[in-house]
Amino acid sequence: MTLLVCCLAVAIALATCPVGEAVDCTPDAGDPYCKCSGSDVTLDLSKLSFPMHQIPDTQQYGTYEYTFSPCPTVDCNDGGDSSGVACQENVGSSGGEVFVARKVPDGQPAWSIANLDPLEFTVTYCDGDLTGGVEDLERCAIVTFKDDGSHGDLDASMEKETSTDTQLSYNFMLQGKDISKVRAGAGGGGGGGSGTAAGVVGLVLISVFIAAVLTYFIAGMAVNYNRGTRGCEMVPNATFWQDLPLLIKDGFLFMISPCYKRESYQKF
């Protein structure tokens, strides 16, 4: 019986255990820049308010401000090209804006979900303007969305620049309680249920535990009945079950006994 109780404890722990691995989310065929779908979740950025203008550069690489708007896209430099997903403007000069990321035909932004509750995911948009200079690097926007209770409805900032041999990436952070709105379903829920491998294993173990308990009682009562036992004595290990409430009480008192100090000892 002790083994069955241990199995139940493990099953409950697994059923409620969160999984920290990233979850893939496939870009929507009709609107890959705004939507993605996975086995447990659907995300839709159109539920947020865009465009977001005057996003600050927290690292102060220069006198730059940014615009982010995946749906709808915008015209970064008023040149008639309204495919801009992210724009960079040098507010300290008259150089105008450049495209950090563009919406292009057959474009496939990369979506990755780090956590479902609270929601945190990242989308990488590319096809921006080349940087110019000695090496032409393609500009990209790596945007992390985070449901962060320490912020307001929605705050945005450009956190840092990172580069490779072929790419210059601008890492944006969007934080706030509004991030939960992008998840499809009532109350921001998209999957209904745990949707994790650990949760499935936990539910299976709970089912096995219940089946084992039923088998234990039914088979035990059948054996005792065939032996001529009737009434409450048919229950297998009836004495144990009758004493169980007292055993639980004794165990509880034993655990809390160090918290109490005896004032005196009984005299013999």
Side-chain angles (χ1 to χ4, degrees), residues 39 86 88 264:
S39 58
Q88 180 193 57
S264 63

Side-chain angles (χ1 to χ4, degrees), residues 99-113:
F99 289 83
V100 172
R102 277 191 177 90
K103 182 178 182 179
V104 297
D106 300 323
Q108 289 292 313
W111 297 69
S112 178
I113 302 174

Side-chain angles (χ1 to χ4, degrees), residues 67-246:
T67 296
F68 177 63
S69 185
C71 41
T73 54
V74 295
D75 186 351
C76 287
N77 53 20
D78 297 324
D81 182 353
S82 59
S83 64
V85 174
C87 312
Q88 180 193 57
E89 179 182 10
N90 189 343
V91 295
S93 70
S94 57
E97 292 185 272
V98 298
F99 289 83
V100 172
R102 277 191 177 90
K103 182 178 182 179
V104 297
D106 300 323
Q108 289 292 313
W111 297 69
S112 178
I113 302 174
N115 197 31
L116 291 176
D117 187 18
L119 183 60
E120 181 178 350
F121 62 98
T122 300
V123 190
T124 301
Y125 302 95
C126 286
D127 301 300
D129 289 336
L130 299 179
T131 58
V134 178
E135 284 189 271
D136 282 336
L137 303 180
E138 178 190 27
R139 285 185 170 92
C140 293
I142 301 176
V143 187
T144 297
F145 300 79
K146 187 175 183 179
D147 182 2
D148 187 348
S150 64
H151 289 73
D153 292 341
L154 189 62
D155 295 333
S157 60
M158 204 291 288
E159 298 291 311
K160 62 181 179 179
E161 295 179 9
T162 55
S163 63
T164 64
D165 292 339
T166 59
Q167 181 176 298
L168 175 62
S169 297
Y170 299 79
N171 295 264
F172 294 87
M173 175 67 76
L174 273 66
Q175 301 179 92
K177 60 184 181 181
D178 278 0
I179 297 299
S180 62
K181 294 180 180 179
V182 309
R183 187 173 177 182
S194 64
T196 65
V200 172
V201 172
L203 292 175
V204 170
L205 287 178
I206 290 174
S207 300
V208 171
F209 171 81
I210 293 173
V213 170
L214 291 175
T215 302
Y216 164 79
F217 281 105
I218 294 173
M221 293 176 71
V223 170
N224 288 338
Y225 181 84
N226 289 333
R227 291 176 177 175
T229 306
R230 298 294 183 268
C232 294
E233 297 302 320
M234 289 175 56
V235 177
N237 300 311
T239 303
F240 168 80
W241 295 109
Q242 290 170 353
D243 294 340
L244 183 60
L246 293 176

Side-chain angles (χ1 to χ4, degrees), residues 25-43:
C25 202
T26 303
D28 182 79
D31 195 356
Y33 287 79
C34 284
K35 300 177 182 179
C36 78
S37 298
S39 58
D40 300 311
V41 67
T42 296
L43 304 180

